[in-house]
Structures are given as structure tokens and as C-alpha cells.
Amino acid sequence: MKTLLPKTAFTASLLALLPTAAATIYPLTLTDDLGRKVTLKAEPGRIISMVPGHSETLCAVGACGKLVGVDRYSDYPQQVARLPKVGDLFAPDVEAMVALRPDLVLVSQYSKLEGPLTQAGIPVFALDMEKYDEVFSKTLTLGRVVNREAQARALTLNMRREIARVEILTKNAVRKPTTYLEIDPTPYSVGPNSFMGVLLGKAGARNIVPAALGDFPKVDPELIVKANPQLMLGLDRRAAAARPGWAGLQAVRTGRVLDIPKDLNTILSRPGPRMPQALRGLARLVHPELFK
């Protein structure tokens, strides 16, 4: 592939082309993913993020300095890794969170933090990015929340541009393999409408999981046997061959069972600003011949 422009330089050039965005006006009232109307009286200056993707997004729009604490999985960029850890969504250290005196805590709709933190007088905003388009729309929402709307807009434009560059390559692939992507060995996979499922399609693969099963379904192993995928991602060949009825699958017989490298797996599982990087890594696994 041709060398891409440095991300920071490209973002700066996009910002120069954008009209000057008005600053966010506070008080700001938005509806979060729990259906609650949350009012921010002023621009938040001390934020705790309990979702790694949200931590990365805040940093990518220039609001990393507002973070005073993060969940234990937030580890990117480097500034985030040095911040105080306050547990995770399902095992939070509420006392430590309150001690950091945040004026906003970002959570997932699946956490149960809004109750105790709201009682403590701390605004809580629940946000999730499960669909591909939500990654862009909710990046803009986060940009608005932290008064970084122009930066968020530039970020999403940059992401779409980088994703399009990969798609140009994969659209030219002669064969697009039927593919099973495993995110958990129990086994869980991804539906075609989830953000990971969309990335799989953009990487030049054909997902064997039907949309009717949902975005991140637990799948019947028999479904995989019947689909007989040409490519399997997210597990190794030995593990696949050991499962009942899987040794004869096309992917196992031809050696097209590929574990996903740990770093790529982390990026792939986090909807956020590194989604183009995740797509490029995924496309290299599906179509290595296009990246020589």
C-alpha cells in the first residue's frame, strides 16, 4: 500500500478545511443510551471513562487532558495507561471514583453505575457503539459533550477516508471467502450488522452468521459445520480440529484457521478511532495477497 499521510497531519489539514464550529453551549442536555436526559451545567473538566473505546475517543478529539480516571482495561494511548484505575463496568470501585471528584462519568448502558453515582451528585452519561454507523455518530456526540465538535468531525472524516482506502483494495479481491469469526470459544461470533461484522465484510470476507441471530450471538456449532467456511478467524487450527465434526471443514483441511494477534484483537474489539487500523489488520488476514 502507499504510505498514508501521518494521522496528525491529515487531521490538521481537515480541520483547516472545516468551517469554524461554534463552541458547545452549556447547559447541554442530551439523551443517553439508557434513555435518560442528562444535563451538563458546564464543560466537563474532570472525566472518568469506564469504557476503553470512549477513553480512546476522548484522546483522539483532543480531550485526553480531561480524563482523571479510567477503567482497568483502558490502556491506549500512553497517557491513559498512567491514569488511576477505578475497576471496570461490572466491578467498579465507586469510592475511588467519587474520590477523584469527576464532573462526568462515561459508562455503558450495561453497567449499573448511574444509580450510585447520580446519588452522589455526579453526572453519568451512558453510551455504546455496537453498530458500525454508531461509531461515527457517537464519536460526534462525545465531541459535543466535551466541547470538541470540530475535532470529532475531523476524526470521523479521517476514519471514513482510511476505511475507504482499504475497501478499494478488498473490492478487487477475486475470491471472497466464507468466514467464521469467533470472539469467544463458547462459541460467540459476530453478526453482519455489528460493527465487527461490517468490518469483516469490508475486509473482503463473507460472514456465515445470519443477521437474524443478532449482533454478537452464541452460535450453534452445527451451524458452522453446515456452513463449512473457507476461513476461520479467532482460534487456532488445533482447537478447531478438536471440536466435534470440525476436522473435515474446508478451513481446517486447507490450513485457513487463523488466530488473531493479541494487539489486533484488542483494537478490533474496541469500536473507536482505531477502527481503520483494525480493518487493515483484518483485511491482511483475509487477503494477504493484496498487501504484499
Side-chain angles (χ1 to χ4, degrees):
M1 292 181 69
K2 293 181 179 179
T3 303
L4 300 179
L5 281 173
K7 187 174 183 178
T8 52
F10 180 71
T11 301
S13 65
L14 278 175
L15 280 170
L17 294 174
L18 290 169
T20 303
T24 300
I25 296 174
Y26 301 90
L28 173 68
T29 300
L30 295 170
T31 301
D32 73 359
D33 281 349
L34 289 170
R36 304 176 312 135
K37 289 189 179 299
V38 179
T39 298
L40 302 174
K41 295 178 180 177
E43 179 179 337
R46 297 181 62 81
I47 301 173
I48 292 176
S49 168
M50 297 300 288
V51 181
H54 297 354
S55 306
E56 293 189 22
T57 300
L58 288 190
C59 289
V61 300
C64 212
K66 292 176 179 288
L67 287 169
V68 295
V70 292
D71 71 296
R72 67 190 180 100
Y73 298 111
S74 289
D75 56 5
Y76 184 89
Q78 194 172 14
Q79 303 97 297
V80 167
R82 293 194 292 263
L83 291 170
K85 306 294 184 184
V86 290
D88 59 49
L89 280 173
F90 305 106
D93 186 341
V94 175
E95 187 176 343
M97 296 170 73
V98 173
L100 290 172
R101 297 178 290 106
D103 47 24
L104 177 64
V105 178
L106 298 173
V107 302
S108 160
Q109 62 179 310
Y110 303 110
S111 69
K112 296 181 179 178
L113 280 166
E114 69 278 5
L117 290 177
T118 301
Q119 285 183 350
I122 300 171
V124 177
F125 195 78
L127 196 75
D128 288 284
M129 305 178 184
E130 297 178 355
K131 304 286 189 184
Y132 177 77
D133 287 338
E134 287 180 338
V135 178
F136 301 97
S137 64
K138 294 186 179 181
T139 293
L140 296 176
T141 299
L142 282 175
R144 191 176 179 202
V145 165
V146 298
N147 196 15
R148 299 290 187 276
E149 292 185 64
Q151 292 90 336
R153 200 179 312 159
L155 173 63
T156 57
L157 286 171
N158 191 15
M159 291 167 63
R160 289 187 187 280
R161 182 176 183 270
E162 291 190 36
I163 286 170
R165 297 178 97 171
V166 177
E167 281 188 278
I168 288 171
L169 287 176
T170 57
K171 280 182 178 176
N172 292 327
V174 176
R175 295 183 180 84
K176 297 187 177 181
T178 53
T179 303
Y180 166 65
L181 172 59
E182 184 168 283
I183 58 173
D184 184 276
T186 45
Y188 277 86
S189 186
V190 299
N193 294 326
S194 66
F195 76 92
M196 291 178 71
V198 172
L199 290 181
L200 186 61
K202 290 180 180 296
R206 289 180 289 155
N207 194 349
I208 64 164
V209 175
L213 292 183
D215 288 340
F216 298 98
K218 184 173 185 175
V219 294
D220 183 344
E222 188 61 27
L223 179 149
I224 300 161
V225 172
K226 288 180 179 176
N228 194 14
Q230 297 164 323
L231 174 65
M232 302 174 83
L233 300 173
L235 69 170
D236 62 40
R237 188 178 182 183
R238 179 180 297 182
R243 294 181 186 178
W246 287 29
L249 296 181
Q250 287 187 77
V252 177
R253 286 189 287 102
T254 59
R256 291 284 284 157
V257 183
L258 306 174
D259 208 353
I260 299 176
K262 183 179 177 182
D263 287 350
L264 174 58
N265 201 39
T266 298
I267 299 171
L268 183 61
S269 65
R270 290 183 186 178
R274 291 194 288 170
M275 198 163 66
Q277 188 177 337
L279 172 59
R280 188 174 296 108
L282 194 58
R284 283 181 185 275
L285 292 178
V286 178
H287 290 291
E289 75 281 3
L290 299 177
F291 293 86
K292 290 180 178 176

